[in-house]
Amino acid sequence: MARMAGKRYPDMWVDPEDDPRSQGALLGDERATLLDYLRSYRLTLEMKCAGLTAEQLAMRSVPPSTLSLLGLVRHMAAVERNWFRRTMAGEDVPRLYRTPDDRDADFNGAFGDDAVVEEAWARWSEEVAHAEAFVDAAESLDLVSLDPNTRINLREVLVHMIEEYARHCGHADLLRECIDGATGQ
């Protein structure tokens, strides 16, 4: 996704009427509202990363932190996988970007290489698509996880995912501003 720039408000990412994150479920039920907020935060992460090179995406915030936009994409792919595949669906799949020697490989392995960036976005897109399909197939937000070690319902997972994205989109705001001065809603 290329960086969008507002025409009426050039200091904003996109003019309000063109924002793909429009709040379509303002009068929706609980499920529609939760899904709309989650969709909006997912789009925000994409927008904050748009138009940057692999090297820019991998730029670290401040030493000794390993926080980067690319690291956030990898981290969120791992978070999506953990909550929707491992916890809710009970799938026995390996964790993404984590080894016994490096629990933070999502950030530590975020190098400014086109192949690393491509793989990160592919994984993130795959995990988001799986999560969306899982939620669409769920009859109720009261659906309880199949992981016997983590008893949680789908509603709580969706709220947690909104919180997780909101927090990390705040990080992404600051990281992007340090890279090229771009700020936005």
Side-chain angles (χ1 to χ4, degrees):
M1 174 186 288
R3 177 171 180 242
M4 299 177 202
K7 291 180 177 52
R8 289 189 311 133
Y9 302 100
D11 61 324
M12 297 175 75
W13 286 88
V14 62
D15 290 330
E17 63 272 11
D18 297 326
D19 194 332
R21 299 168 299 171
S22 65
Q23 303 274 305
L26 289 178
L27 298 175
D29 62 10
E30 177 186 24
R31 183 186 199 112
T33 300
L34 291 172
L35 294 178
D36 189 60
Y37 270 88
L38 183 54
R39 178 186 158 277
S40 291
Y41 279 119
R42 286 171 173 154
L43 282 170
T44 298
L45 180 62
E46 285 185 280
M47 290 172 73
K48 296 299 176 182
C49 296
L52 297 176
T53 66
E55 292 78 22
Q56 289 172 314
L57 286 168
M59 285 180 65
R60 307 302 167 113
S61 57
V62 292
S65 176
T66 58
L67 187 65
S68 69
L69 288 169
L70 180 56
L72 287 175
V73 173
R74 290 164 51 101
H75 175 70
M76 292 311 301
V79 170
E80 295 268 3
R81 181 183 189 98
N82 189 60
W83 282 109
F84 291 102
R85 286 190 196 269
R86 294 172 52 88
T87 302
M88 290 306 300
E91 293 179 22
D92 184 19
V93 294
R95 291 182 180 271
L96 288 179
Y97 311 119
R98 190 176 203 172
T99 68
D101 298 331
D102 189 357
R103 294 178 47 132
D104 292 322
D106 43 1
F107 293 101
N108 295 334
F111 299 110
D113 177 89
D114 289 336
V116 174
V117 172
E118 186 177 316
E119 186 271 341
W121 281 116
R123 287 286 187 149
W124 181 79
S125 297
E126 178 184 323
E127 295 306 329
V128 167
H130 177 272
E132 290 173 340
F134 181 89
V135 173
D136 286 347
E139 290 183 24
S140 166
L141 296 178
D142 294 321
L143 177 71
V144 176
S145 62
L146 294 178
D147 178 355
N149 299 314
T150 308
R151 302 308 286 169
I152 190 169
N153 68 29
L154 182 56
R155 176 183 297 101
E156 293 173 279
V157 168
L158 291 172
V159 170
H160 173 73
M161 292 300 297
I162 292 166
E163 179 273 332
E164 185 90 10
Y165 272 99
R167 180 165 36 102
H168 290 314
C169 283
H171 296 140
D173 282 335
L174 297 172
L175 289 163
R176 181 63 189 249
E177 187 174 7
C178 286
I179 292 167
D180 67 0
T183 61
Q185 65 272 35

